[in-house]
Amino acid sequence: MLLQVLGTAAGGGLPQWNCACPGCAGARAHPERRRRHASLALRAGPGHWYVVNATPDIGEQIEACPDLLPAPGPAADPRLSPLAGVVLTDAELDHTLGIARLREARDGVDVLATAPVAAAVRDRLGLGAVLGPYTKVHWRELTGTARQLNDQSAIKVAAVPVSAKRPRYAADLGPDDATWSVALSLHDTGTGRTVLYAPALAAWTDAFDKAAREADVVFVDGTFWDDEEPRRAGFSAKSATGMGHLPITGPGGTAHRLARLPGRCLYTHLNNTNPLGDPGAGQHGQLADWGLEVAQDRMVIEL
Ligand SMILES: [Zn+2]
């Protein structure tokens, strides 16, 4: 299985356009600290790829990833793209707006999503009607039962329900169940290797725990370092947990759970207030002591 990390920031990116917090100011002063919205590219088979979540940065993310550039192979066709589709973990704007940027797709785009996420993006966000005149979007349902990414792929994907957290624009929509925000279990039937990708983890459920134990690589929600971070930074009256993101540290934190897992564990989806955005921060040493990592943009993982 071949993965390319396209971005590792939470909504807004790092820096965020309207923010001058120490994290955003630091990223402007030190361009190497910049992070694009969290996303992952996954090779489904020779010359064709899927992205996990389509972020507002998707065009720039593709440009920064040679494997995703158009006209692959010797029979150059200038509009032939290796990008076959998108798998969604939820309906949040920073994970779905990039679908609109794929409107030029000549051969259409596959979008795999759970039923409520697909309904929100297609009907409430309006991308179904908006994209129809431009390209063909093939909506395919993602459930807890593993299915092939496409007919030619050895990769199977399954949703691991995490929480009923839904985007504000879909707050009134049902159902009230954990298919709104899921982790993805990505299994290579050729190598037997499994990756678990969970950029938004509102609760450590039994189902998530089981999937995490079975995975060789686990990407986890690293939005906030501790539960008070959003309130301390002054941009929210809610705690991290209240915003639907388990913090890294503290009593309800994910670090101590991840440290006990057999697989390689990396944090992604860092908010611009997270001290881990500064490579010199002491928190990196703490993570290293626990055997945990921070994912970086343009990281390549082959397993
Ligand atoms: Zn900021």
Side-chain angles (χ1 to χ4, degrees):
M1 187 166 357
L2 183 60
L3 305 168
Q4 307 247 17
V5 177
L6 301 180
T8 53
L14 182 67
Q16 179 174 311
W17 68 277
N18 64 344
C19 189
C21 75
C24 290
R28 290 190 184 97
H30 305 278
E32 71 280 5
R33 297 188 192 176
R34 289 174 178 257
R35 292 174 184 264
R36 292 192 168 121
H37 286 94
S39 180
L40 196 65
L42 169 68
R43 187 173 63 185
H48 65 286
W49 291 72
Y50 280 70
V51 289
V52 177
N53 293 328
T55 83
D57 303 330
I58 191 167
E60 292 74 25
Q61 289 174 329
I62 289 170
E63 288 300 315
C65 183
D67 284 327
L68 297 182
L69 293 178
D77 172 348
R79 289 286 168 93
L80 182 64
S81 169
L83 183 61
V86 180
V87 190
L88 299 177
T89 59
D90 53 54
E92 297 292 340
L93 292 176
D94 55 312
H95 294 162
T96 56
L97 286 179
I99 296 171
R101 289 194 69 181
L102 301 179
R103 71 179 177 89
E104 296 91 354
R106 188 191 66 185
D107 301 322
V109 183
D110 260 1
V111 178
L112 282 80
T114 64
V117 168
V121 174
R122 197 175 49 215
D123 304 327
R124 177 59 63 88
L125 204 52
L127 289 187
V130 165
L131 285 173
Y134 298 94
T135 192
K136 176 75 184 160
V137 180
H138 311 278
W139 298 92
R140 295 166 55 209
E141 189 176 359
L142 184 64
T143 69
T145 302
R147 65 179 301 176
Q148 277 175 283
L149 277 179
N150 61 27
D151 291 345
Q152 307 113 59
S153 184
I155 309 291
K156 286 188 167 185
V157 56
V160 181
V162 167
S163 83
K165 189 196 173 208
R166 64 211 79 175
R168 286 184 227 172
Y169 73 82
D172 58 316
L173 300 182
D176 189 21
D177 69 24
T179 55
W180 275 101
S181 177
V182 302
L184 298 179
S185 173
L186 305 159
H187 179 69
D188 187 331
T189 57
T191 64
R193 298 301 192 97
T194 301
V195 172
L196 185 66
Y197 187 74
L201 193 63
W204 192 285
T205 64
D206 289 346
F208 183 80
D209 191 71
K210 179 172 184 293
R213 287 181 190 290
E214 292 170 355
D216 299 285
V217 175
V218 183
F219 288 93
V220 172
D221 184 343
T223 309
F224 299 114
W225 176 257
D226 65 78
D227 210 28
E228 283 301 309
E229 187 179 316
R231 290 200 271 241
R232 200 169 50 244
F235 70 87
S236 176
K238 294 180 179 175
S239 66
T241 308
M243 293 180 71
H245 298 283
L246 292 180
I248 295 173
T249 57
T254 51
H256 69 284
R257 293 179 182 272
L258 293 178
R260 292 200 289 263
L261 294 178
R264 180 180 177 187
C265 298
L266 305 102
Y267 281 110
T268 187
H269 203 269
L270 273 65
N271 195 56
N272 45 51
T273 53
N274 191 321
L276 292 171
D278 176 356
Q283 284 86 350
H284 288 278
Q286 277 182 263
L287 278 195
D289 288 346
W290 294 322
L292 308 176
E293 300 174 56
V294 179
Q296 306 295 342
D297 290 26
R298 293 177 293 283
M299 190 180 244
V300 179
I301 293 179
E302 187 160 19
L303 75 165

